[in-house]
Amino acid sequence: MPADETGRGASALAQLRAATSGICDVIPLTADDDFHVSTATMALGNALLVESFATALKYDRTPAHVARGGLDHYQVILCLQGEMQFASGRREVTLRPGDICLIDMAQPNRTVLTGADDARAHHMALILPRPLLAPRLAHPDSATASSLPAGHLHARLLASQFAALWRPTEPGTGDPNATIEATIEAMTDIIAGAAGSAADVDGAVERAERHLYLAMIKRHIAANLDIEALTAQELCRRFQISRASLYRLFEDDGVSHATCRSKGSIAP
C-alpha cells in the first residue's frame, strides 16, 4: 500500500488541490475548515485500487484538464456510503451504496460526493489502463457512466471482489500475483459486459461470472469452516443459487461431489 494520506481543514484542501491540479478542480461543498479527506492506494499489477473518505465536495474535470494531461484510464467506482452524482456530456448517473459505475477519464466529467447523516462519503475505485478494458468494449469511447445497481448479481460479485482485493492474500492460496491478475481480468470482463462487450469476447462474461462466484463462495467457506451450518443448503440460500448450480461450480473446478462432501465444504 504505497500511499495513505489523511487531512483536515484548509491545509488538507490545499494539499489535495495541489496534488490533483493536473487532473481536476476540487470544490468543497463545506466550509474549508470542515473539509476532511482520507485516501489509501494499493497497486495491483497494472491496476490501482483506491479507497477514499471525504466530506461533501465536487470534482470538475474540464476539457482543459483532459487536453493538457496524459490520464487515459477508466475508473470503476463502487459507492459504499453517501451518494455520488456523476455527469459526462449528456450522460448522468446517481450512485448510492452498492451501486457501481464506469468512468472514462479521457473525457470531461463532473462528480459530486455527499455523505449521509453528516458522515463522509465513502467509495472505492479500481483504476484500469485503457489497453486492458477498451479492447473488450464494443464502443470504448462512449462507455462512460455505464452503471450497475446494487441489487444486480454482477454488482454484488464486483463489490465482493473489491473487498477481497483490499485484504492480503491468505498464505497457502497459491501465487498471489496470479490470483490478483485473474481476478482483475474477470472483473474487467464483467464491467465490459455491463458497458457493452465487443463481439469477439462473447462468452467472456459467463466465464468471468463463474470465476468470481466460485471465488466468493470459496472465501466464505474458508472463513466459516468451524460453523456446523455450512451445508449446501446454507450456501445455496446465502448465494441465491440452486444446489445443482453449486455442485456444477465445484465440478468445473475439478472437485467432485464426493470430495466436496468429504471435506465438509458442501454437504447434501
Side-chain angles (χ1 to χ4, degrees):
M1 194 172 294
D4 189 357
E5 301 178 2
T6 184
R8 294 178 181 271
S11 62
L13 175 59
Q15 290 175 12
L16 179 61
R17 282 174 165 164
T20 60
S21 61
I23 301 174
C24 62
D25 293 328
V26 178
I27 304 164
L29 302 180
T30 63
D32 288 3
D33 288 343
D34 294 330
F35 179 77
H36 184 195
V37 64
S38 59
T39 64
T41 305
M42 179 183 292
L44 301 170
N46 60 354
L48 286 175
L49 187 62
V50 181
E51 182 174 30
S52 299
F53 296 83
T55 48
L57 57 81
K58 175 181 177 182
Y59 294 112
D60 191 3
R61 182 163 168 79
T62 67
H65 288 110
V66 174
R68 68 173 179 257
L71 190 62
D72 190 21
H73 294 66
Y74 292 99
Q75 286 194 55
V76 183
I77 303 291
L78 168 63
C79 179
L80 291 167
Q81 181 173 285
E83 185 175 281
M84 172 180 170
Q85 296 175 333
F86 173 78
S88 180
R90 296 183 178 180
R91 305 192 69 173
E92 297 185 4
V93 63
T94 298
L95 302 185
R96 297 178 178 83
D99 295 343
I100 289 175
C101 179
L102 177 65
I103 295 176
D104 184 355
M105 295 302 291
Q107 299 182 31
N109 58 71
R110 302 179 309 281
T111 303
V112 177
L113 300 176
T114 54
D117 300 325
D118 296 325
R120 291 180 296 165
H122 179 198
H123 67 276
M124 298 183 77
L126 179 65
I127 301 175
L128 301 172
R130 198 172 199 87
L132 180 61
L133 179 56
R136 291 171 157 88
L137 297 171
H139 304 286
D141 295 329
S142 59
T144 197
S146 300
S147 62
L148 286 167
H152 194 285
L153 167 62
H154 289 168
R156 298 199 305 271
L157 285 175
L158 291 172
S160 172
Q161 299 310 311
F162 270 94
L165 287 171
W166 200 251
R167 295 191 295 269
T169 303
E170 294 294 331
T173 56
D175 182 355
N177 291 329
T179 299
I180 289 172
E181 182 178 348
T183 297
I184 296 294
E185 291 280 344
M187 293 177 72
T188 303
D189 284 330
I190 293 290
I191 293 157
S197 299
D200 58 353
V201 294
D202 283 348
V205 173
E206 289 76 11
R207 290 190 296 273
E209 180 180 312
R210 178 195 163 274
H211 176 92
L212 297 182
Y213 228 127
L214 185 59
M216 182 169 60
I217 294 173
K218 283 183 175 180
R219 284 195 301 272
H220 178 75
I221 290 172
N224 295 277
L225 285 175
D226 57 340
I227 297 177
E228 294 182 1
L230 193 63
T231 62
Q233 182 178 358
E234 190 274 335
L235 292 172
C236 290
R237 179 195 61 77
R238 181 179 182 86
F239 295 102
Q240 300 178 16
I241 59 176
S242 68
R243 182 184 295 256
S245 296
L246 179 66
Y247 284 143
R248 190 159 51 246
L249 279 173
F250 282 87
E251 278 190 330
D252 290 344
D253 198 44
V255 181
S256 69
H257 292 190
T259 302
C260 291
R261 286 194 292 268
S262 68
K263 291 183 178 181
S265 298
I266 303 175

